[in-house]
Amino acid sequence: GAGVSQSPSNKVTEKGKDVELRCDPISGHTALYWYRQRLGQGLEFLIYFQGNSAPDKSGLPSDRFSAERTGESVSTLTIQRTQQEDSAVYLCASSLVSSGTSYNEQFFGPGTRLTVL
Amino acid sequence: AQSVTQLDSHVSVSEGTPVLLRCNYSSSYSPSLFWYVQHPNKGLQLLLKYTSAATLVKGINGFEAEFKKSETSFHLTKPSAHMSDAAEYFCVVRARSGSARQLTFGSGTQLTVLP
């Protein structure tokens, strides 16, 4: 596709339910990132996938959060037993590989707005 | 360690007047710095980036930013605001030797453009 797409655009769920968020990166982008954006705050890094390497999960806030990516395609972010503090916009981005002194622009999707009641 | 501080959470300007969005950074390494813009219901878009070349960086839509190491600043400016510039702007720092997780976002500045 032309850009990064995410679904759903909005998700309202009840506390304690599991949710699954989807990200379709730009074709050919080997790197994929998930971020969380709470109201009035900047982005918090959650997880980073690069090709077939082990993902960098250092930003996941708890073991209720997990993410998967098969190869260089779609990624899903799963939040189990959702809590009200999980309410935020979840952003996905993709890029060509970035490492060391090189930086390739991250292209962001429109995000999924998650509301936990 | 690295951090970025956006000094104003909200900035309001009249159409046709200059825009100044302030950003100060802290980094243990020589940083790369970026400005992103987020329009409502749209993804973040890269406006411009500084990666060690010229200290005055020009971006899209007439925006530019100047890297000032002595002041640890990377303020975003535009000579004349347009209504379409109304959006949220994020200053971002990346340690030069860092990996993807080393991207640190500021808390954002909401720009309002008045007619």
Side-chain angles (χ1 to χ4, degrees), chain B residues 59-89:
Chain B
I60 60 172
N61 300 334
F63 284 94
E64 61 182 38
E66 186 171 7
F67 174 71
K68 292 187 176 180
K69 187 175 180 178
S70 60
E71 299 177 10
T72 61
S73 69
F74 190 59
H75 301 333
L76 181 70
T77 60
K78 182 173 180 177
S80 176
H82 191 273
M83 296 297 289
S84 61
D85 295 329
E88 186 144 26
Y89 292 79

Short mmCIF file of all heavy atoms in Angstrom, two decimals, chain B residues 59-89:
data_model
loop_
_atom_site.label_atom_id
_atom_site.label_comp_id
_atom_site.label_asym_id
_atom_site.label_seq_id
_atom_site.Cartn_x
_atom_site.Cartn_y
_atom_site.Cartn_z
N GLY B 59 13.05 22.09 6.06
CA GLY B 59 12.14 20.97 5.91
C GLY B 59 11.02 21.27 4.94
O GLY B 59 11.10 22.20 4.15
N ILE B 60 9.97 20.48 5.07
CA ILE B 60 8.84 20.67 4.17
C ILE B 60 7.95 21.80 4.65
O ILE B 60 8.03 22.22 5.81
CB ILE B 60 8.02 19.37 4.05
CG1 ILE B 60 7.46 18.94 5.42
CG2 ILE B 60 8.86 18.25 3.46
CD1 ILE B 60 6.49 17.79 5.35
N ASN B 61 7.13 22.31 3.74
CA ASN B 61 6.11 23.32 4.06
C ASN B 61 6.70 24.61 4.64
O ASN B 61 6.03 25.31 5.40
CB ASN B 61 5.07 22.76 5.03
CG ASN B 61 4.34 21.55 4.46
OD1 ASN B 61 4.23 21.40 3.24
ND2 ASN B 61 3.87 20.69 5.33
N GLY B 62 7.93 24.93 4.28
CA GLY B 62 8.53 26.19 4.69
C GLY B 62 9.10 26.22 6.10
O GLY B 62 9.55 27.26 6.57
N PHE B 63 9.09 25.10 6.78
CA PHE B 63 9.66 25.05 8.14
C PHE B 63 11.18 24.87 8.09
O PHE B 63 11.71 24.28 7.16
CB PHE B 63 9.05 23.87 8.92
CG PHE B 63 7.66 24.14 9.41
CD1 PHE B 63 6.56 23.74 8.67
CD2 PHE B 63 7.46 24.77 10.62
CE1 PHE B 63 5.27 23.98 9.11
CE2 PHE B 63 6.17 25.02 11.09
CZ PHE B 63 5.08 24.62 10.33
N GLU B 64 11.83 25.39 9.11
CA GLU B 64 13.25 25.15 9.29
C GLU B 64 13.58 25.13 10.77
O GLU B 64 12.79 25.58 11.60
CB GLU B 64 14.09 26.19 8.55
CG GLU B 64 13.90 27.61 8.97
CD GLU B 64 14.75 28.57 8.12
OE1 GLU B 64 14.88 28.35 6.91
OE2 GLU B 64 15.28 29.53 8.70
N ALA B 65 14.74 24.58 11.08
CA ALA B 65 15.18 24.50 12.47
C ALA B 65 16.69 24.68 12.50
O ALA B 65 17.40 24.28 11.58
CB ALA B 65 14.78 23.16 13.08
N GLU B 66 17.16 25.26 13.59
CA GLU B 66 18.60 25.48 13.74
C GLU B 66 19.12 24.74 14.95
O GLU B 66 18.60 24.88 16.06
CB GLU B 66 18.91 26.97 13.89
CG GLU B 66 20.41 27.27 13.90
CD GLU B 66 20.72 28.74 13.82
OE1 GLU B 66 19.78 29.58 13.90
OE2 GLU B 66 21.92 29.09 13.69
N PHE B 67 20.14 23.91 14.72
CA PHE B 67 20.80 23.18 15.80
C PHE B 67 21.82 24.10 16.44
O PHE B 67 22.75 24.58 15.79
CB PHE B 67 21.49 21.94 15.24
CG PHE B 67 22.32 21.19 16.23
CD1 PHE B 67 21.72 20.48 17.26
CD2 PHE B 67 23.71 21.19 16.14
CE1 PHE B 67 22.50 19.77 18.17
CE2 PHE B 67 24.49 20.49 17.06
CZ PHE B 67 23.87 19.79 18.07
N LYS B 68 21.65 24.35 17.74
CA LYS B 68 22.59 25.20 18.48
C LYS B 68 23.14 24.37 19.64
O LYS B 68 22.49 24.23 20.68
CB LYS B 68 21.90 26.47 19.00
CG LYS B 68 21.49 27.42 17.90
CD LYS B 68 20.96 28.73 18.48
CE LYS B 68 20.65 29.73 17.36
NZ LYS B 68 20.15 31.02 17.89
N LYS B 69 24.35 23.88 19.44
CA LYS B 69 24.94 23.00 20.44
C LYS B 69 25.18 23.74 21.75
O LYS B 69 24.96 23.19 22.83
CB LYS B 69 26.26 22.43 19.91
CG LYS B 69 26.89 21.39 20.80
CD LYS B 69 28.12 20.78 20.15
CE LYS B 69 28.74 19.72 21.05
NZ LYS B 69 29.92 19.09 20.40
N SER B 70 25.60 24.99 21.68
CA SER B 70 25.92 25.74 22.90
C SER B 70 24.67 25.97 23.75
O SER B 70 24.76 26.10 24.97
CB SER B 70 26.54 27.08 22.53
OG SER B 70 25.65 27.85 21.75
N GLU B 71 23.53 26.02 23.11
CA GLU B 71 22.28 26.22 23.83
C GLU B 71 21.47 24.92 23.97
O GLU B 71 20.38 24.96 24.55
CB GLU B 71 21.43 27.28 23.10
CG GLU B 71 22.09 28.63 22.99
CD GLU B 71 21.27 29.62 22.18
OE1 GLU B 71 20.09 29.33 21.86
OE2 GLU B 71 21.82 30.71 21.88
N THR B 72 21.99 23.85 23.45
CA THR B 72 21.28 22.55 23.39
C THR B 72 19.84 22.75 22.95
O THR B 72 18.89 22.25 23.57
CB THR B 72 21.34 21.79 24.74
OG1 THR B 72 20.70 22.56 25.75
CG2 THR B 72 22.76 21.49 25.13
N SER B 73 19.69 23.50 21.85
CA SER B 73 18.35 23.78 21.36
C SER B 73 18.19 23.37 19.91
O SER B 73 19.18 23.26 19.16
CB SER B 73 18.03 25.28 21.51
OG SER B 73 18.80 26.05 20.61
N PHE B 74 16.96 23.18 19.51
CA PHE B 74 16.62 22.82 18.13
C PHE B 74 15.22 23.36 17.87
O PHE B 74 14.27 22.62 17.67
CB PHE B 74 16.70 21.30 17.95
CG PHE B 74 16.61 20.84 16.51
CD1 PHE B 74 17.52 21.27 15.55
CD2 PHE B 74 15.62 19.94 16.10
CE1 PHE B 74 17.46 20.84 14.24
CE2 PHE B 74 15.54 19.51 14.78
CZ PHE B 74 16.46 19.96 13.86
N HIS B 75 15.10 24.67 17.89
CA HIS B 75 13.80 25.32 17.74
C HIS B 75 13.31 25.27 16.29
O HIS B 75 14.09 25.43 15.35
CB HIS B 75 13.88 26.79 18.18
CG HIS B 75 14.31 26.96 19.61
ND1 HIS B 75 14.11 26.01 20.58
CD2 HIS B 75 14.95 28.00 20.21
CE1 HIS B 75 14.59 26.44 21.73
NE2 HIS B 75 15.11 27.65 21.54
N LEU B 76 12.02 25.12 16.14
CA LEU B 76 11.37 25.05 14.82
C LEU B 76 10.76 26.40 14.50
O LEU B 76 10.06 26.99 15.34
CB LEU B 76 10.28 23.97 14.83
CG LEU B 76 9.52 23.74 13.53
CD1 LEU B 76 10.43 23.08 12.48
CD2 LEU B 76 8.30 22.86 13.78
N THR B 77 10.99 26.88 13.29
CA THR B 77 10.46 28.20 12.89
C THR B 77 9.85 28.14 11.50
O THR B 77 10.15 27.26 10.69
CB THR B 77 11.57 29.27 12.91
OG1 THR B 77 12.59 28.90 11.98
CG2 THR B 77 12.17 29.43 14.29
N LYS B 78 8.98 29.12 11.27
CA LYS B 78 8.41 29.32 9.94
C LYS B 78 8.09 30.81 9.84
O LYS B 78 7.51 31.37 10.78
CB LYS B 78 7.15 28.48 9.73
CG LYS B 78 6.56 28.63 8.33
CD LYS B 78 5.41 27.66 8.09
CE LYS B 78 4.85 27.84 6.69
NZ LYS B 78 3.76 26.88 6.37
N PRO B 79 8.47 31.46 8.75
CA PRO B 79 8.30 32.92 8.67
C PRO B 79 6.84 33.38 8.70
O PRO B 79 6.54 34.42 9.25
CB PRO B 79 8.94 33.28 7.33
CG PRO B 79 9.81 32.14 6.98
CD PRO B 79 9.17 30.92 7.58
N SER B 80 5.95 32.57 8.11
CA SER B 80 4.57 33.01 7.95
C SER B 80 3.63 31.82 8.10
O SER B 80 3.66 30.90 7.28
CB SER B 80 4.39 33.66 6.58
OG SER B 80 3.04 34.03 6.36
N ALA B 81 2.82 31.84 9.14
CA ALA B 81 1.95 30.70 9.42
C ALA B 81 0.78 30.64 8.44
O ALA B 81 0.23 31.66 8.03
CB ALA B 81 1.42 30.79 10.85
N HIS B 82 0.40 29.41 8.14
CA HIS B 82 -0.76 29.15 7.28
C HIS B 82 -1.75 28.34 8.10
O HIS B 82 -1.38 27.60 9.00
CB HIS B 82 -0.31 28.37 6.03
CG HIS B 82 -1.36 28.28 4.98
ND1 HIS B 82 -2.31 27.29 4.95
CD2 HIS B 82 -1.61 29.08 3.91
CE1 HIS B 82 -3.11 27.47 3.92
NE2 HIS B 82 -2.71 28.54 3.27
N MET B 83 -3.02 28.50 7.75
CA MET B 83 -4.06 27.78 8.50
C MET B 83 -3.79 26.28 8.52
O MET B 83 -4.05 25.60 9.52
CB MET B 83 -5.44 28.04 7.90
CG MET B 83 -5.91 29.47 7.97
SD MET B 83 -6.10 30.05 9.67
CE MET B 83 -7.55 29.14 10.16
N SER B 84 -3.23 25.76 7.43
CA SER B 84 -2.99 24.32 7.35
C SER B 84 -1.85 23.86 8.25
O SER B 84 -1.61 22.66 8.40
CB SER B 84 -2.67 23.92 5.90
OG SER B 84 -1.50 24.60 5.46
N ASP B 85 -1.14 24.80 8.88
CA ASP B 85 -0.06 24.43 9.80
C ASP B 85 -0.59 24.02 11.18
O ASP B 85 0.17 23.50 12.01
CB ASP B 85 0.92 25.59 9.98
CG ASP B 85 1.66 25.93 8.71
OD1 ASP B 85 1.91 25.02 7.89
OD2 ASP B 85 1.99 27.13 8.52
N ALA B 86 -1.85 24.26 11.44
CA ALA B 86 -2.43 23.90 12.73
C ALA B 86 -2.34 22.39 12.92
O ALA B 86 -2.89 21.61 12.14
CB ALA B 86 -3.88 24.35 12.81
N ALA B 87 -1.62 21.98 13.96
CA ALA B 87 -1.36 20.56 14.20
C ALA B 87 -0.56 20.45 15.49
O ALA B 87 -0.27 21.43 16.15
CB ALA B 87 -0.56 19.96 13.04
N GLU B 88 -0.19 19.21 15.82
CA GLU B 88 0.70 19.00 16.96
C GLU B 88 2.09 18.68 16.43
O GLU B 88 2.24 17.90 15.48
CB GLU B 88 0.20 17.87 17.86
CG GLU B 88 1.02 17.71 19.13
CD GLU B 88 0.17 17.31 20.32
OE1 GLU B 88 -0.88 16.71 20.12
OE2 GLU B 88 0.60 17.61 21.47
N TYR B 89 3.09 19.24 17.07
CA TYR B 89 4.47 19.10 16.63
C TYR B 89 5.30 18.44 17.72
O TYR B 89 5.20 18.80 18.90
CB TYR B 89 5.05 20.47 16.28
CG TYR B 89 4.40 21.08 15.05
CD1 TYR B 89 3.15 21.70 15.14
CD2 TYR B 89 5.01 21.02 13.80
CE1 TYR B 89 2.54 22.22 14.01
CE2 TYR B 89 4.41 21.56 12.67
CZ TYR B 89 3.16 22.15 12.79
OH TYR B 89 2.55 22.67 11.67
#
